[in-house]
Amino acid sequence: MNIRSFIKWSLVVFITTTLIGCGPDEKKESVNSRPALKMWVAPNENEEAFWNKIVKEWNADPTHTPIEFTPIPAASSSEEAIMNALASGTEPDISSNIFIGFASQLTEQGLVEDLATLPGFDALIEERKMSALMPAWKINGHQSVLPIYVNPIVWWWRGDLLKQYGYDHVPLTYDDLYRLATLRKADNNGYVMQLTAGKNWWERWFDLIPLFYAQSEGKSYLDGNKASMNTADGQKVLAFMGHVFQQGWSSYDFTSADDPLASGQVLASARGPWDIARYRKQYPEVLKTIEIGPMLTETSSAHPYTFGDSKGLVIFSTSKHKTEAWAFMQWVFSKAENDRLWLETTGMPPARSDLLTNPLFVSYFASNPVEKQIAAYVDVALPPVATTKTTEIQRSMTQMLEEVIFNQKEPASALEQSGNEINQVLQR
């Protein structure tokens, strides 16, 4: 399958949108005689600010091949924008904002480089303290993505409201939550927690999947080419979620309300570190009350697994400047100071395992305690499964969850049905 055929196929199965052509980007003239490398970054104000500083420093050295960076063009998703560019031959040399599901698709079609084959890869992984994180990013034996950050999904608790119910620590187990929910319901003052993130397929990354990772001690919901969530642990997670809804302790739809955690509608909500900056600006007094807790499990676990919202950089195989692109990536990520800048600028933990021991980061966390509590889970924050069928799989999970919540379907039966659907998708 050639690139153009792949794009037409991918737009149907991955984002179910119509392929929209786009014309070639206008190339700016380089300040020196070398052709500039083209880089796309996440269309996010904080990330753009980081890359602006990094690229300026890189370009200031006349021995470096200059970089021209722009946000990923506007589209319904970054994936669609990149697919459109690949179809029209206007893709960059490097792109950030690549999650593992999309990377699996690109890897399967040979559209991105296997970074592990490039000189100095092992040394870079060791220098950035990423050895423990990289196996989860292996795609069909390839290391196609260099993860930039890992955002652990953890429970944000309103410590001030917990105290009103006699809790001096955050709940850790299902039973802890049930006891708190009973007290909360008795005073008719709101829900106990925002247990589900929403109705969209990607929102399973912020409820069902982290709860499953925690309860199963990091097991995957796929085993090879088969669904593997229908286990005792999977049934316990789904039974827990179903019970919370059946007791009226949560709502499936908070979209019409203000932030339910900030307003006090709920005592807890699963969040990532990106909400810190928003809370600091919009709800500074509420942020002072926030206590961070791990994913709930049946029995207390000192340091349970969770989901890590993680994205990284790729080099496209069509690039004519792979050596120069890789030199830039090595330069950026071999310096811990750049990861400190990333942390300060974006608030998102860099993908490295020394955040709580390296003096550069220790000094930052000393003044940012909420960020420190979240960063403590980077080592157990797992990415999604590497599969080209992410959308279909998580749509099935969503339907399964709704069957349990609204129709009180038995967890084992719902898991079996979803597993059969996912297996059919995986065998296509």
Side-chain angles (χ1 to χ4, degrees):
M1 184 182 290
N2 62 34
I3 290 177
R4 290 179 183 274
S5 297
F6 160 65
I7 301 304
K8 292 176 182 177
W9 168 79
S10 296
L11 285 170
V12 174
V13 302
F14 188 77
I15 55 175
T16 62
T17 58
T18 303
L19 179 63
I20 303 172
C22 57
D25 290 345
E26 302 240 344
K27 293 185 181 285
K28 300 176 183 177
E29 282 190 17
S30 174
V31 295
N32 65 27
S33 59
R34 301 185 184 205
L37 296 180
K38 189 174 169 184
M39 178 181 180
W40 285 357
V41 303
N44 170 290
E45 180 181 352
N46 292 335
E47 293 187 48
E48 289 177 47
F50 168 80
W51 287 113
N52 185 52
K53 293 178 182 177
I54 290 295
V55 168
K56 278 185 178 178
E57 183 179 348
W58 168 267
N59 287 347
D61 187 332
T63 66
H64 291 162
T65 301
I67 301 282
E68 292 177 355
F69 89 93
T70 58
I72 296 172
S76 64
S77 68
S78 294
E79 291 80 16
E80 181 187 355
I82 290 169
M83 288 175 175
N84 287 339
L86 286 164
S88 60
T90 58
E91 71 277 6
D93 299 282
I94 309 170
S95 182
S96 74
N97 209 38
I98 306 295
F99 93 97
I100 199 167
F102 186 42
S104 297
Q105 207 169 9
L106 297 172
T107 301
E108 185 177 272
Q109 298 302 318
L111 298 174
V112 287
E113 288 295 294
D114 180 359
L115 303 179
T117 66
L118 302 179
F121 174 82
D122 291 338
L124 177 61
I125 298 307
E126 177 59 31
E127 177 67 25
R128 201 182 181 222
K129 308 302 179 188
M130 301 176 71
S131 298
L133 304 176
M134 292 306 292
W137 282 84
K138 189 163 283 189
I139 304 171
N140 296 331
H142 292 224
Q143 299 280 191
S144 306
V145 189
L146 188 74
I148 301 173
Y149 62 83
V150 177
N151 286 327
I153 303 305
V154 291
W155 289 109
W156 286 33
W157 292 91
R158 285 287 299 269
D160 56 334
L161 300 183
L162 285 177
K163 288 184 176 67
Q164 294 179 14
Y165 296 97
Y167 276 67
D168 61 1
H169 63 278
V170 301
L172 300 176
T173 68
Y174 301 159
D175 283 342
D176 286 344
L177 189 281
Y178 296 157
R179 285 190 290 271
L180 175 62
T182 302
L183 295 172
R184 176 72 164 172
K185 189 172 184 179
D187 68 12
N188 197 29
N189 200 30
Y191 299 104
V192 70
M193 69 188 338
Q194 182 180 3
L195 184 56
T196 51
K199 302 174 181 178
N200 297 300
W201 64 264
W202 62 83
E203 287 167 319
R204 303 294 73 78
W205 288 328
F206 311 112
D207 45 51
L208 178 65
I209 290 174
L211 284 166
F212 178 73
Y213 279 161
Q215 179 62 34
S216 67
E217 299 183 346
K219 289 186 173 60
S220 174
Y221 46 91
L222 295 185
D223 183 6
N225 212 33
K226 292 184 66 177
S228 59
M229 190 180 275
N230 190 8
T231 62
D233 287 323
Q235 292 171 28
K236 288 173 183 176
V237 169
L238 209 53
F240 162 69
M241 298 182 78
H243 184 65
V244 169
F245 278 97
Q246 287 153 24
Q247 295 298 315
W249 295 336
S250 189
S251 171
Y252 193 59
D253 189 1
F254 284 102
T255 57
S256 61
D258 293 331
D259 185 310
L261 186 65
S263 67
Q265 271 194 295
V266 298
L267 307 185
S269 181
R271 304 291 178 97
W274 54 80
D275 266 344
I276 296 175
R278 181 170 68 86
Y279 266 58
R280 189 164 282 133
K281 182 177 181 180
Q282 297 180 7
Y283 312 111
E285 294 307 309
V286 174
L287 183 60
K288 294 175 184 177
T289 74
I290 295 299
E291 295 184 24
I292 300 301
M295 281 293 115
L296 299 170
T297 51
E298 183 186 37
T299 57
S300 182
S301 174
H303 199 54
Y305 285 91
T306 187
F307 172 76
D309 174 61
S310 315
K311 292 184 180 179
L313 281 167
V314 297
I315 299 175
F316 290 103
S317 58
T318 50
S319 171
K320 297 178 181 178
H321 310 290
K322 297 183 185 71
T323 299
E324 294 88 347
W326 177 235
F328 172 69
M329 288 171 64
Q330 288 177 293
W331 179 85
V332 174
F333 294 107
S334 64
K335 299 179 179 180
E337 293 82 1
N338 290 338
D339 278 326
R340 165 71 186 250
L341 176 63
W342 170 272
L343 186 58
E344 292 173 339
T345 307
T346 70
M348 297 189 290
R352 49 190 305 151
S353 59
D354 64 343
L355 294 178
L356 301 183
T357 57
N358 187 314
L360 268 177
F361 305 110
V362 170
S363 62
Y364 171 83
F365 289 131
S367 303
N368 297 276
V370 175
E371 287 90 333
K372 180 180 180 180
Q373 291 178 67
I374 295 175
Y377 291 93
V378 165
D379 64 327
V380 288
L382 302 174
V385 172
T387 175
T388 62
K389 309 291 187 179
T390 299
T391 306
E392 296 96 320
I393 289 168
Q394 291 182 206
R395 280 183 179 146
S396 178
M397 288 180 177
T398 301
Q399 292 166 1
M400 172 187 71
L401 190 55
E402 291 174 348
E403 281 289 312
V404 172
I405 290 173
F406 297 116
N407 298 328
Q408 298 187 18
K409 190 166 187 174
E410 286 296 320
S413 176
L415 283 160
E416 182 178 10
Q417 180 179 335
S418 178
N420 290 335
E421 292 170 357
I422 290 170
N423 289 340
Q424 289 177 12
V425 167
L426 292 171
Q427 289 162 14
R428 289 176 191 163

